[in-house]
Amino acid sequence: MGWTVKHPSNQEFFAYWDKARGHAAAPDRNTLAPEPIRHLLSDIFVLAYDPRAGYPFRVAGTRLCARLGRDVKGESFTALFTGEAHREMEDLVGIVAEETLPTVAGVTAMTSDGGLLPLELLLLPFSPRAHTPLSLTGQIVALGDVAGTLSQFSVTSWRHIQPDPGPRGPRILRKIEIARGLLVYEGLR
């Protein structure tokens, strides 16, 4: 996993998420307690899965808000990205949430003094729950010194992270006869 995720904070957050998910594809959001990762919370965010609203921030850490120059709660996450990167980020967030695929992306942002700053974005899904809208979490960290506020984000690269599936118990197959001559096997993927 270390070669996939560069920044130590993102590595730590991913490891915490991976441990919390156990054998599931993604953890339930209630299993991620803030105490063990308190030192990371200033860069962590939670997004609502609402494509029409641009996947708004439900929660945004204080350092992330400071880097953006404002409190972004309720604002569109994908609106941070300009041009083609806006559509690309919409697609990535949709894939992470719908297909429960953790993803890491290299992004750049324009600093208030006109420079470009490389960042690493980690997007992690939550397990879907009945009667509850989908959401996902993530963290965005700078790979260099931050000078001023950031804007005009663009995507430079991205890749899905394949978490270790861990040990799985034996599959239990149940044969159910629905109608004469038609059999359904539960338990296969």
Side-chain angles (χ1 to χ4, degrees):
M1 191 266 308
W3 57 269
T4 303
V5 180
K6 294 177 185 175
H7 198 280
S9 293
N10 278 345
Q11 290 174 358
E12 185 177 350
F13 189 37
F14 178 80
Y16 178 67
W17 175 91
D18 193 39
K19 183 178 178 184
R21 77 181 180 87
H23 298 301
D28 185 273
R29 67 179 178 221
N30 289 336
T31 62
L32 293 182
E35 196 57 41
I37 54 169
R38 181 164 299 285
H39 59 286
L40 300 177
L41 292 178
S42 61
D43 292 316
I44 291 177
F45 56 85
V46 176
L47 304 178
Y49 182 77
D50 184 354
R52 289 176 286 165
Y55 307 99
F57 287 97
R58 292 182 66 208
V59 175
T62 55
R63 186 174 7 214
L64 175 60
C65 290
R67 286 183 178 156
L68 297 173
R70 64 192 183 283
D71 183 3
V72 293
K73 184 177 179 184
E75 290 187 21
S76 166
F77 171 72
T78 56
L80 297 175
F81 295 83
T82 58
E84 183 60 33
H86 178 82
R87 180 76 178 135
E88 189 174 9
M89 190 51 62
E90 285 179 336
D91 291 343
L92 278 177
V93 171
I95 291 168
V96 170
E98 292 173 12
E99 299 183 25
T100 59
L101 283 172
T103 300
V104 65
V107 297
T108 58
M110 181 75 65
T111 62
S112 54
D113 65 359
L116 285 178
L117 177 70
L119 301 121
E120 185 176 64
L121 169 66
L122 180 65
L123 295 170
L124 302 170
F126 288 125
S127 180
R129 295 191 289 178
H131 311 295
T132 304
L134 287 175
S135 60
L136 61 150
T137 187
Q139 181 171 246
I140 189 162
V141 292
L143 297 175
D145 293 330
V146 180
T149 58
L150 305 177
S151 63
Q152 301 180 24
F153 288 71
S154 61
V155 179
T156 57
S157 64
W158 62 268
R159 58 208 166 279
H160 298 299
I161 304 167
Q162 297 300 320
D164 179 15
R168 303 273 190 223
R171 282 193 195 169
I172 299 171
L173 299 179
R174 294 186 310 159
K175 183 167 62 169
I176 303 170
E177 189 166 344
I178 294 178
R180 188 169 183 231
L182 175 66
L183 296 177
V184 175
Y185 292 92
E186 285 187 5
L188 295 177
R189 296 179 206 199

